[in-house]
Amino acid sequence: MIRGAVAIFNRDFKKFLSNPFVVIMTLAMPIMYLVIFGNAMGGTISHIPVAIVQEGPPYNNTPLFTSATYELNHITQKDYPKLLDVTVYSDENTAKHDLAKGLVTAVIVFPSEVSSDHAIRLYVDSSDSITPTLVESALNGVLASLAAKNPVMINNIYGDIKYLQFFGVGVIMMAIFTSTMFGGGIALIKDRENGIHEGYLVTPVQRTSIIAGIISSGTIRAFIAGFTIFLIDILITGIIIQSLTDFFLVVLVILIACIGVTSLVVSFASRFSAQQEYASTVAFLNLILFMTSGAFYPVIGMPDWLRWITVINPEYYGVDALRSIILRGQGLDVIGTDLVALIIFSTAMFILGIVTYRRTLE
């Protein structure tokens, strides 16, 4: 019995060592979890864009407005990063417009009179579950340091949004990637192992048509997964879709994201002949993309070197667009940049999938 177990152990362990790629990825994954996850979650949030405006008329800056503006713009944290990037506005409506467009995170409106019974109004983007609390705390700290007795009236412009709702939007993108990883990539490798792809090549079907069919099938599976999670989000988190237009925009974003992610995964799967190598690589890719998408934690809290990954991360644009529609009720005028980025990415990945498939099989 022992001899047989030893023989099987030797065979299985040698098989593991015979694939250095899997060995390296096994060691690399914990390190990347430490580096990526550790920096993407709980980082020091700094340089929060805040608008400050003097209530009017009259528009003469009060001593409180002048002193508070200076103090708010010079709040530092550990290692001295600025907490707030303060921009002084001359018009309250313009400041609120920029808040609605996502150009600033909060608007602080100071009263035009010095009297302590006049409230300071704080308008915050409540779709972000973390930064509004930091802005409110900073404002209260500055008022305390100036011995100002003015009450602070907080206005959550998108209502009371819970972290579950904030995170629930990101789970939609997770469902898309997971479905594509298992349903698209692994299925492609299995078909290759069973000789099905070689069978395709002896038919009149063009190779572009083959990869287009594979990507289309994977896109539909990913869309079903993403759309299902979207409906479950509505039931579990209590999210309310404000209009039929918003609903169709969500469907559009999910569909475009599915095309891009599926094309990316298929292009990766085309380079592997073993499921083990593919799974370890795509899991590594999923870690980087999802952790830097802003699904867990605001991107503004990530270090600069990690924040740059979001520029080429399709999941970031998908999460940002979905959060803008679902939590803020914003339309094409706001999510246009996200949609363009997703379309460019999807087109590039579709072309890459075709090119990679050809090079692999020729």
Side-chain angles (χ1 to χ4, degrees), residues 252-310:
L252 177 63
V253 172
I254 293 176
L255 179 61
I256 296 175
C258 287
I259 296 173
V261 173
T262 302
S263 301
L264 173 65
V265 170
V266 168
S267 66
F268 266 89
S270 298
R271 307 304 300 173
F272 294 97
S273 57
Q275 296 181 38
Q276 192 177 19
E277 295 178 356
Y278 162 78
S280 60
T281 302
V282 175
F284 178 81
L285 180 64
N286 184 39
L287 167 68
I288 296 177
L289 294 182
F290 191 66
M291 292 303 172
T292 60
S293 67
F296 281 110
Y297 197 72
V299 174
I300 196 173
M302 300 178 189
D304 291 339
W305 65 267
L306 191 57
R307 200 181 305 176
W308 276 106
I309 297 178
T310 62

Side-chain angles (χ1 to χ4, degrees), residues 20-331:
F21 179 81
V22 175
V23 175
I24 293 173
M25 292 302 297
T26 302
L27 299 175
M29 283 297 292
I31 297 174
M32 291 308 298
Y33 264 102
L34 174 63
V35 175
I36 301 296
F37 189 80
N39 283 283
M41 288 289 293
T44 300
I45 295 179
S46 60
H47 298 285
I48 303 172
V50 173
I52 293 183
V53 62
Q54 173 75 58
E55 183 183 50
Y59 292 100
N60 297 325
N61 293 343
T62 63
L64 175 61
F65 175 82
T66 303
S67 300
T69 299
Y70 177 83
E71 294 295 334
L72 286 168
N73 201 35
H74 289 82
I75 297 176
T76 58
Q77 306 172 90
K78 187 179 180 181
D79 299 327
Y80 307 104
K82 282 183 60 178
L83 176 62
L84 306 177
D85 284 341
V86 174
T87 302
V88 177
Y89 282 70
S90 58
D91 178 65
E92 182 178 336
N93 290 331
T94 302
K96 290 180 179 178
H97 177 269
D98 285 355
L99 175 61
K101 295 296 183 181
L103 300 179
V104 295
T105 302
V107 174
I108 305 174
V109 183
F110 283 89
S112 57
E113 298 185 18
V114 181
S115 176
S116 62
D117 61 350
H118 286 73
I120 296 171
R121 289 178 283 129
L122 173 61
Y123 298 87
V124 295
D125 179 358
S126 53
S127 66
D128 182 340
S129 62
I130 298 175
T131 54
T133 303
L134 296 176
V135 176
E136 179 186 353
S137 177
L139 176 59
N140 287 328
V142 166
L143 294 178
S145 68
L146 297 175
K149 304 298 183 181
N150 303 71
V152 177
M153 294 179 57
I154 302 174
N155 297 272
N156 297 318
I157 65 172
Y158 301 119
D160 184 16
I161 296 177
K162 302 178 178 62
Y163 181 78
L164 181 64
Q165 296 171 324
F166 175 85
F167 177 63
V169 175
V171 174
I172 298 174
M173 291 302 301
M174 177 190 286
I176 292 173
F177 195 99
T178 304
S179 173
T180 302
M181 179 174 67
F182 290 106
I186 290 181
L188 187 151
I189 295 175
K190 283 184 177 180
D191 285 348
R192 184 187 294 116
E193 292 175 345
N194 295 329
I196 295 177
H197 284 200
E198 284 72 10
Y200 288 154
L201 298 178
V202 299
T203 67
V205 179
Q206 297 181 355
R207 296 187 181 185
T208 302
S209 301
I210 295 173
I211 197 64
I214 294 172
I215 292 176
S216 299
S217 175
T219 297
I220 295 301
R221 289 195 295 264
F223 178 81
I224 292 173
F227 186 73
T228 301
I229 295 300
F230 165 59
L231 297 179
I232 293 174
D233 266 353
I234 294 177
L235 296 175
I236 293 179
T237 66
I239 291 173
I240 298 177
I241 305 301
Q242 300 180 12
S243 67
L244 190 61
T245 301
D246 289 348
F247 180 83
F248 283 116
L249 280 177
V250 170
V251 172
L252 177 63
V253 172
I254 293 176
L255 179 61
I256 296 175
C258 287
I259 296 173
V261 173
T262 302
S263 301
L264 173 65
V265 170
V266 168
S267 66
F268 266 89
S270 298
R271 307 304 300 173
F272 294 97
S273 57
Q275 296 181 38
Q276 192 177 19
E277 295 178 356
Y278 162 78
S280 60
T281 302
V282 175
F284 178 81
L285 180 64
N286 184 39
L287 167 68
I288 296 177
L289 294 182
F290 191 66
M291 292 303 172
T292 60
S293 67
F296 281 110
Y297 197 72
V299 174
I300 196 173
M302 300 178 189
D304 291 339
W305 65 267
L306 191 57
R307 200 181 305 176
W308 276 106
I309 297 178
T310 62
V311 177
I312 56 173
N313 184 355
E315 293 193 17
Y316 163 74
Y317 296 104
V319 169
D320 187 64
L322 290 174
R323 194 166 282 153
S324 296
I325 301 167
I326 297 173
L327 300 185
R328 305 184 190 116
Q330 295 169 330

